[in-house]
Amino acid sequence: MTDNLSTIPAVSKRVPWNKGKIVGAKPPLRPKHVWSIRTKLQVEGRMRDLALFDVAIDSKLRGCDVVGLKVDDLAPGGYTADRATIRQKKSGRPVKFELTESTRQAIDDYLRAAGKKSGEYLFTGRRRSGHMTTRQYARLLSNWIADIGLDPRAGPANSDSSLSGFSA
């Protein structure tokens, strides 16, 4: 006779890596969140972080392109220009963008305080010779988002929107 083995499939004990996690693109920051982060960085006197955040918002560049900026890209004559053109690493296409007055002021203040010179990376990381890594930038961004009371893992749309009195 034929032995009938159990036809019930074995239950896998492995848990999917994304079980319970929010996957996919995070929703963009709302204007009130941008102003909250900007105000917090100004109040705390974090010049580098404010310049980095403002450049990222104004340019809408990817993180790898923002951290790879050099002083000459934004401030060729020692003072920040009104407009800039950057060639993206991923697509190779040039991106033109305008810098707002507050961003230009933040960059100028940072350049003076840090003593940055022509040819240097604008945003340096722990290793002075190179630029900030995209991982360091991602950590900073997560900290800024957490500082205003949002969950950095969930994104702004899924977080509590009460921001202690800041308005857009």
Side-chain angles (χ1 to χ4, degrees):
M1 296 260 158
T2 317
D3 289 332
N4 286 343
L5 297 175
S6 175
T7 58
I8 300 171
V11 178
S12 175
K13 303 224 183 216
R14 291 178 33 190
V15 178
W17 69 269
N18 59 353
K19 183 173 178 77
K21 295 183 181 177
I22 299 170
V23 295
K26 294 178 184 174
L29 290 170
R30 296 184 184 137
K32 65 181 180 179
H33 299 144
V34 170
W35 284 108
S36 296
I37 292 171
R38 194 173 273 153
T39 303
K40 187 157 184 59
L41 294 174
Q42 284 173 340
V43 168
E44 293 175 357
R46 293 162 59 184
M47 285 188 270
R48 183 201 64 175
D49 291 355
L50 179 62
L52 179 62
F53 182 74
D54 283 349
V55 167
I57 293 296
D58 283 1
S59 68
K60 297 181 182 86
L61 289 169
R62 292 182 182 93
C64 63
D65 294 322
V66 172
V67 298
L69 291 172
K70 292 198 171 190
V71 173
D72 296 333
D73 294 334
L74 300 181
Y79 292 98
T80 309
D82 295 344
R83 293 185 176 110
T85 303
I86 307 298
R87 186 167 299 277
Q88 291 180 323
K89 287 182 184 177
K90 184 175 180 181
S91 66
R93 293 184 177 161
V95 176
K96 295 179 183 179
F97 57 92
E98 273 190 46
L99 296 169
T100 61
E101 179 60 38
S102 62
T103 300
R104 290 194 306 266
Q105 186 64 48
I107 294 169
D108 286 339
D109 292 344
Y110 168 62
L111 290 175
R112 273 194 302 278
K116 295 283 182 181
K117 295 179 179 70
S118 178
E120 293 182 16
Y121 284 106
L122 190 58
F123 304 110
T124 51
R126 291 184 187 159
R127 288 182 260 145
R128 288 282 170 194
S129 60
H131 61 77
M132 177 186 294
T133 65
T134 53
R135 188 67 210 124
Q136 289 170 322
Y137 173 66
R139 277 191 209 104
L140 275 175
L141 184 58
S142 292
N143 290 339
W144 298 334
I145 290 171
D147 284 349
I148 62 166
L150 299 175
D151 183 5
R153 293 169 291 143
N158 299 331
S159 301
D160 180 24
S161 61
S162 61
L163 294 175
S164 64
F166 293 112
S167 60

